[in-house]
Each structure stands twice: as structure tokens, then as C-alpha cells.
Amino acid sequence: MNPPEHDEGHCRHADEAADDVRAQDDPLWGAQGLLAAALPAWRERPGQRALADAVRQAIERRGILLAEAGTGTGKTLAYLVPALLHGERVIVSTATRALQDQLYRKDLPLACQALGLQVRRTVLKGRANYVCHYRLKRAQQDGQLESRRAVQELRQVVRFAAASADGDLSGLAGMDENSAVLPLVTSTRDNCLGSECPDFRACFVMKARREALASDVVVVNHHLFFADLALRGDGVAELLPAATTVVLDEAHQLADIGAQFLGSAVGTAQAQELARDAQACGLQHARGLADWPMLAAALTKAARDLRLCAAGPSQARSGPARLDWAQAQALPGWSEALRAWREQLEALLGALLHVEEAAPEFTRLAERCREQQRLLATWQLGPHDAAGEPAGAEAAAPGAADSVRWLDVGSHHLRLLATPLGIGPAFSTLLAERAQAWVLVSATLTLDGSFRYARARLGLGDSSVALQGADEAQAPRLQELRVPSPFDYAAQTRLLVPGRGFRPADPEHSTRVAELAARLVAVNPGGSFVLTTTLRAMGRIAARLRELLPPGRTVLEQGSEPKAVLLQRFAADARAVLVGSHSFWEGVDFPGEQLTLVVIDKLPFAPPDDPLVAARLARLEAAGRSGFMDYSLPQAALALQQGAGRLVRGEDDWGVLAVCDQRLAATGWGRRLLASLPPFRRVETEEQAAEFLREHARGGPGH
């Protein structure tokens, strides 16, 4: 795709756009309009109206809108209202299943209520979110659960499946998202039997797809969106042609999530699942024709042995480790262990082919064996050599082209991944192929007031996008809009950046962060977050906080309990402290005094030794650009914005943000990061920050 020169005039600020909106006699958005009448808590916001107008224009022109809408703008209503009024199919994708459920259960019904519309709507998730009748029955029959708790959880799922209309496991209260039972009662693309399944007619996944195809509004998530576009497996690709509008909310996550699914992955979990399924099927349909338990145990052991080869680096780093291709080759016993995995797959494949006529499942199991063999060979040898052709220098040097091969090593898993360094070509091709309205919106999309970095990551470059097949003179152009937050940050917040003594390279840095956090927590009348950039720092800070705070003060730590449980406990305790790493930096919403202090341990730079980060930096440096300025700094700015965004979620919220990294104020690039934050009022000393908290504790400002 060769788009025309970008017209910077198409990037509009909300003030400019709002003038156009105010000039209209708008019964919908006015103070006495439909929204005010239908939604008593709704407040008129010019920025929201400006965003809605830009969405309307994109829909009418089948164009592309890239919009940053600051926290509190009301962006969900701003894109839902014009999309619903247009009256044709809408697909809305967001970053997580939790946000997906909020859209479907709260925001979408509110918008329909305000407009007085009866709209067919559904939520569509990946297979792993729905009970599989066939695998549930098998799990009941196998009787191989390892604990009493697992048996109880299986009984819960059985009762749920019998009573549920949709089989969506999000409706099963109290189930741990990491439960060992869930993989046994859900399906994947690998193990689904499709139309050969005896329970196909009752399948919850197929029912969800049918409902989606018949719906006016379908809510999906980015993982499903990209996985389906890459593999054409879960129904989104079928929906796209008939959709007039595609909204990609939380668009700042698109590039990273998309890269996960435009590459390939194979891991020990897939091997263990294949072994378990082969044993169950063999004993049911071909008992005595092969030693199924032995074959399954051998494959499981081979996969486990490969993980143990990489366990040393993982343990040394205190948590999950990422190794590049060359580091993997240097692991003692790596090649031999990988070869053993492939040999056990070959042995299982031979047994399956021998009994293939006995049941349709054996054919699918054989296909899974071949696919794992192919993925393992491609990862180790390179795509050319794995196909039986000579592996040239490029194939032996992962990351030299546009993808990188790497290992993800955890305490219970190992994955071998090949990941593209960017999704730009694939994503821009998708937009060019489909003359639909594309709305990409997030609270954090710009740096230094520009969308340039976001455009580059999504393949939109520095120019507008001409849709394929359209007359170039009339092709819709990429429109950009920035809508600032309506919050009064200067009055509602304080920002503390300690001037001295907070150098991240200092061995005592985590201790100092914990001590500063403890002093602020002591005077904070509300809840507190301490956000860290590493799991090691998280553990140290949480341990020190428990030593420093009174025994009755609750300190919650990521990983000690399921995330949903931690969030429930935090919400229930008015002065709790939650210490968390990456998964708590965004998508967590605690308004009011539930969260009034956020402490960030250091600037959130991605580790330069991460294989993906290192490959992206190397590619930029090879092109004569600065890896730090063009990748590391923008990524850190976006992450910092997300972390800071946890503090103020409403017009009456207030609080203190403390960023314990003196580089933020002491370096030129740090001041660029500082300028990317909302306009918090800076304080120079810890005492000033503490006094702001004390004022609110005494019923001062805002009380």
C-alpha cells in the first residue's frame, strides 16, 4: 500500500472540533437532549461530542479515525452512539475479557437505552472461555484429577454447564482462572473435533458464533480479533465483511497483542494436552492396540525435560525468563532434549495412524502430532531447513529479517515462539482490503502531541491511508483527533518526583521505594497502589512494607492469590495496599477514595535483554535510527501514562502520584516523559505530598 502524503491538518484538537459541534442544533448531545433525559448521571462534555462527531464522519466516509480520548471523556458512549444510530453491523474489540464484559453488560445497554433502540447484540470470546460438552464428559469419565479441590471444581463446572444458556465461564463465580480443571473442560483449535463432534449441535462455541452472525453489535477482544484473522478459526473473519464499522478500543495495545498472533508458538502445555487426549482416546477406542499410557508418559517427559534445560536461567532471574535463539542453543542438553520431543511425537504419530480408522478423533490427533513436529523443526532450524531445504545464514540468524525466535520459560511451562517485530504490514493491508469505517481509540496514543509513533507501529506511517479499490482522489483519509481529559488535575492531584537518592541502579532502590511508600501510606486515608517494573522489585517492596506498616494494615501482593481475588480484597478494605507488577498498570479501575495514592518504583523501560526488545532495537540501529529515542522512550512514555492513569478516574477523584526515579526530572529525555503525563501539579518534597493527603484525611479539599 502506497498512501499519499499525510496532511497534518487532518490532526485536529478537540477544541477545534467542538466548535463545529456546538454550531449544530443537536437534540442528542445538548443539555436537554436524549442522553441527559435517559441517563441521569450523564454530563455534557464538549470533548465527548467532538469525538462522537469524528466517529460519525468516519462511518459516513468509510474512513479511518485515530483518536486519543483522555480519561473521563466518555469515549465508549462517544463511539457507540453514532455507530448504533448508523443502523448497520458494528464490531467492537477491546483489550481484555473484563473490558469486553463491561462493554456488553453495562455500556452497550446504557447506549441502547439512551437512544431508545432495540439492538441485537452479543459477546464473542475465544473457545477457552466456553464449556465444551464433549471434553467435560471425558473429564468426568477419566477420573484422573489430582486433588479434592479439582474434583469439587469439576462438579461446579458440571452444574454450571447444565444450567447455563451460553456456557461462558465468566459466569461461574469463584473459579480460579488458573485452575487445572479449565483446560480439561474447554476446547482449543487443536483438539476441537468440529462437525465430527457428537455434541456439535449443543456446542456453546457454535451457538455463540451463530448468535454473533445474527447480531447488530458484536463485542470481541483483541486476542480473538487477531488470532482469528491469522488462523480463521473463531468466527470474527466471518463477521467482518458485513460490518460497516469496526471499533478498536484500547488501541495502544494493538501492536503488541497482534504480534503474538501473527507469529507462531508451540509449548509444553500443548504437548501435555496432546498426550492426555491421545491416552484417553486410545483407551476408549483402541485399548490394547498400543501402549497408550506409555506413549503419553514418554511425550510428557520429553516436553518436561526440555523445560528443565531452560529452568536454570529462569530460576536465576526470579520469575519467568525470555531467552533468544542463540541462548537456547547454548543450554546444556538443549538439542538432544528437543530431538527427544520430536522423536516421541513420531512414535505417537505411528500408533495413531495404525488405528486411524477406529474413530475420527485419531485423525485429528495425528494432525496435531504433525503440526507440533513442524513447529518444533521450524523454530530450531529455520523455515527453509525445516521444509527440507538448505538453511541459509538468514535462517540460522533469528531476528535478522522481520521476526525473532525466542523462548518463554516459566516455572511450569516452556514456549518456543517466532514473533514478527511489527504488525504494520499485516495491519495496514487489512485496513486497505476492507472499505469499512475503522475507529482506533485509546486514552494513550500520542507522544509530544503527535500520533507519529502510533501510526508507525500500526503501519499507517506518516501519511493517510488510501483504501484499496477506491479512487485516489476520493479515497477516505486518515483523520486524527485528540480530546483532553476534562479533569482538573492541578486541583485534584499532586505529583512527587524525588530529587535525590532514587537511582534505579542502586542496590537499595527497592528498599527506599518501600520506605517512602510506607510514609505516604501512613497518612493516606484511602487505598494505595505500588506499581513495580519487575517481579523481583515487587517481592522486595511488598516484604519491606509488611515490616514497616502496622500489623492491621493489609498488604496485598500480585501472585499470592488470583488477580480477581486480590482486586476484590482491595476494594473491600478501605486502606489496603496492593503491590503489583505489569498486570496492574492498566485495566484496573478504582474510583474515589478506593485509590488515592499510586507509587511507581521506576520508569517502565522494557528490559533491553528481552529478545523481542533487543531485536527491535537492533533493527532501528541498523537503519541509522536511535533505538532508545524511537522505541524505548516512546514505549516507556505510554506505559507511564497508563500507570499514572490508575489514580484519577472521575471528576471528584483526587490523589498523589509518586514516581521514584530521579531521572524523570533530572534528564532531558526524562522531562519528555514528564510532559507526556496529564498536567498533575508538581510538589518538590515528600512532606508536601504527605500534607496533601492529610488535608483530605481531615476533610479538606473535595470533602
Side-chain angles (χ1 to χ4, degrees), residues 613-677:
V613 175
R616 287 167 176 154
L617 294 176
R619 183 172 64 168
L620 287 167
E621 298 288 350
R625 298 169 61 188
S626 167
F628 178 77
M629 298 302 292
D630 291 340
Y631 179 78
S632 298
L633 194 67
Q635 286 289 94
L638 293 175
L640 185 62
Q641 290 174 37
Q642 286 292 331
R646 298 312 95 214
L647 186 61
V648 176
R649 310 300 298 174
E651 294 179 359
D652 297 324
D653 289 4
W654 57 272
V656 167
L657 170 68
V659 183
C660 301
D661 190 330
Q662 64 188 51
R663 297 175 299 175
L664 186 61
T667 64
W669 55 259
R671 288 188 285 274
R672 282 188 63 190
L673 295 179
L674 193 60
S676 74
L677 290 172

Side-chain angles (χ1 to χ4, degrees), residues 185-432:
V185 300
T186 58
S187 69
T188 66
R189 283 189 188 85
D190 287 340
N191 61 36
C192 176
L193 298 177
S195 59
E196 299 288 337
C197 178
D199 294 291
F200 182 73
R201 292 177 62 87
C203 176
F204 286 126
V205 173
M206 295 309 300
K207 180 181 179 183
R209 288 191 195 174
R210 290 192 296 270
E211 291 180 354
L213 287 169
S215 294
D216 302 304
V217 182
V218 184
V219 182
V220 301
N221 59 63
H222 297 338
H223 291 82
L224 177 60
F225 183 82
F226 281 109
D228 194 67
L229 291 177
L231 302 172
R232 301 294 194 270
D234 278 332
V236 175
E238 296 174 84
L239 294 169
L240 269 178
T244 299
T245 305
V246 180
V247 178
L248 300 173
D249 201 348
E250 302 295 318
H252 65 282
Q253 294 200 27
L254 288 173
D256 290 329
I257 293 175
Q260 297 176 33
F261 294 99
L262 296 177
S264 63
V266 61
T268 53
Q270 288 166 273
Q272 292 164 354
E273 187 178 80
L274 173 60
R276 186 170 56 239
D277 290 348
Q279 176 175 327
C281 187
L283 293 177
Q284 180 179 355
H285 297 293
R287 185 182 291 270
L289 298 181
D291 190 342
W292 302 108
M294 184 275 292
L295 289 166
L299 175 57
T300 299
K301 180 179 183 301
R304 183 174 61 245
D305 287 347
L306 189 71
R307 183 188 64 78
L308 291 174
C309 279
S314 176
Q315 293 169 356
R317 299 182 186 202
S318 181
R322 292 182 167 193
L323 308 179
D324 64 27
W325 185 90
Q327 290 172 317
Q329 307 314 305
L331 294 170
W334 173 262
S335 296
E336 294 78 7
L338 188 61
R339 183 168 58 251
W341 184 347
R342 294 172 65 184
E343 289 172 351
Q344 294 306 323
L345 285 168
E346 187 64 31
L348 178 59
L349 177 61
L352 293 168
L353 293 176
H354 183 65
V355 298
E356 194 171 8
E357 301 295 325
E361 285 182 76
F362 288 122
T363 299
R364 187 71 194 99
L365 288 165
E367 292 171 354
R368 290 165 63 184
C369 279
R370 293 191 187 97
E371 179 66 3
Q372 285 193 29
Q373 287 179 310
R374 183 189 69 79
L375 290 170
L376 289 172
T378 301
W379 191 91
Q380 178 69 352
L381 304 172
H384 300 296
D385 195 53
E389 302 171 15
E394 286 190 9
D402 290 326
S403 66
V404 60
R405 286 176 274 166
W406 56 287
L407 289 182
D408 175 29
V409 189
S411 56
H412 301 291
H413 75 270
L414 169 74
R415 291 192 302 154
L416 297 81
L417 302 100
T419 304
L421 297 181
I423 70 165
F427 189 71
S428 59
T429 297
L430 172 67
L431 268 61

Side-chain angles (χ1 to χ4, degrees), residues 403-617:
S403 66
V404 60
R405 286 176 274 166
W406 56 287
L407 289 182
D408 175 29
V409 189
S411 56
H412 301 291
H413 75 270
L414 169 74
R415 291 192 302 154
L416 297 81
L417 302 100
T419 304
L421 297 181
I423 70 165
F427 189 71
S428 59
T429 297
L430 172 67
L431 268 61
E433 288 175 347
R434 301 209 174 270
Q436 297 158 309
W438 293 85
V439 176
L440 287 69
V441 61
S442 171
T444 52
L445 274 180
T446 66
L447 294 170
D448 298 327
S450 170
F451 287 92
R452 187 173 292 109
Y453 181 69
R455 290 196 307 265
R457 296 201 78 200
L458 297 173
L460 306 182
D462 289 324
S463 52
S464 305
V465 177
L467 299 184
Q468 185 175 348
D471 180 86
E472 186 171 337
Q474 299 178 352
R477 299 177 68 82
L478 173 65
Q479 181 183 359
E480 298 173 351
L481 177 70
R482 294 181 63 217
V483 180
S485 170
F487 300 151
D488 185 354
Y489 284 96
Q492 294 174 245
T493 64
R494 296 294 183 270
L495 168 62
L496 172 66
V497 182
R500 293 182 180 178
F502 286 88
R503 296 185 298 272
D506 191 323
E508 297 301 313
H509 180 71
S510 292
T511 300
R512 292 195 177 100
V513 171
E515 291 169 350
L516 180 144
R519 293 190 292 270
L520 293 177
V521 165
V523 297
N524 181 31
S528 306
F529 265 17
V530 180
L531 301 177
T532 71
T533 57
T534 65
L535 295 177
R536 184 187 297 273
M538 180 186 73
R540 290 176 174 175
I541 291 171
R544 183 61 176 146
L545 281 173
R546 292 189 186 99
E547 295 173 355
L548 295 171
L549 294 175
R553 198 65 175 264
T554 302
V555 177
L556 304 169
E557 182 180 355
Q558 176 184 328
S560 62
E561 295 178 278
K563 181 178 179 181
V565 175
L566 287 175
L567 294 176
Q568 289 171 2
R569 291 188 60 192
F570 182 83
D573 188 332
R575 300 187 69 203
V577 182
L578 193 153
V579 186
S581 189
H582 299 286
S583 62
F584 288 89
W585 281 67
E586 57 182 293
V588 179
D589 192 356
F590 287 103
E593 292 199 4
Q594 286 185 303
L595 181 59
T596 53
L597 171 65
V598 173
V599 178
I600 293 176
D601 74 328
K602 63 180 179 179
L603 296 175
F605 287 106
D609 60 347
D610 179 285
L612 279 172
V613 175
R616 287 167 176 154
L617 294 176

